[in-house]
Amino acid sequence: FDTGGLSMKSPAGMLKMKKDMGGAAHVIALAQLIISESVPVNLRVYVAAVENCVDSLSIRPLDVVTSLSGLSVEIANTDAEGRLVLADALALACVGSDAVIDFA
């Protein structure tokens, strides 16, 4: 669930967050179809899922995190957690792949 972390979303903004899972739902359904049809491919599926709620370990504005690719990112708004997790998933997916399809 995405509250926006310490950069809290409005209640109306939170109600729209179920749309964030659209890409993940799409890729899971497509993977199920490929498996059920025994399509001869080496399929790896990455679902970049994260919950962004407030607690004592929450990322704070101005924190710096290092991505999987080695890029340092300063957090200006804690509502960007999904993009950071997606960037790491894409970096991982690119390792040893002939093709990558992103449904985000």
Side-chain angles (χ1 to χ4, degrees):
F1 189 77
D2 186 1
T3 65
L6 293 174
S7 301
M8 188 69 71
K9 289 185 184 322
S10 69
M14 284 186 223
L15 293 176
K16 297 177 185 175
M17 289 303 95
K18 65 181 174 183
K19 294 179 183 178
D20 274 9
M21 55 73 73
H26 186 95
V27 76
I28 290 169
L30 181 58
Q32 287 177 326
L33 177 63
I34 289 169
I35 292 166
S36 71
E37 295 297 318
S38 301
V39 178
V41 296
N42 182 8
L43 179 66
R44 294 185 298 163
V45 175
Y46 296 91
V47 175
V50 63
E51 181 174 66
N52 186 12
C53 292
V54 178
D55 73 9
S56 64
L57 300 175
S58 294
I59 291 176
R60 292 168 171 78
L62 305 181
D63 280 356
V64 176
V65 297
T66 303
S67 69
L68 185 63
S69 67
L71 182 68
S72 294
V73 180
E74 182 179 29
I75 306 300
N77 184 316
T78 62
D79 198 17
E81 88 298 335
R83 284 162 269 193
L84 295 171
V85 172
L86 180 58
D88 280 353
L90 286 170
L92 183 61
C94 289
V95 175
S97 297
D98 293 327
V100 173
I101 300 171
D102 174 10
F103 290 104

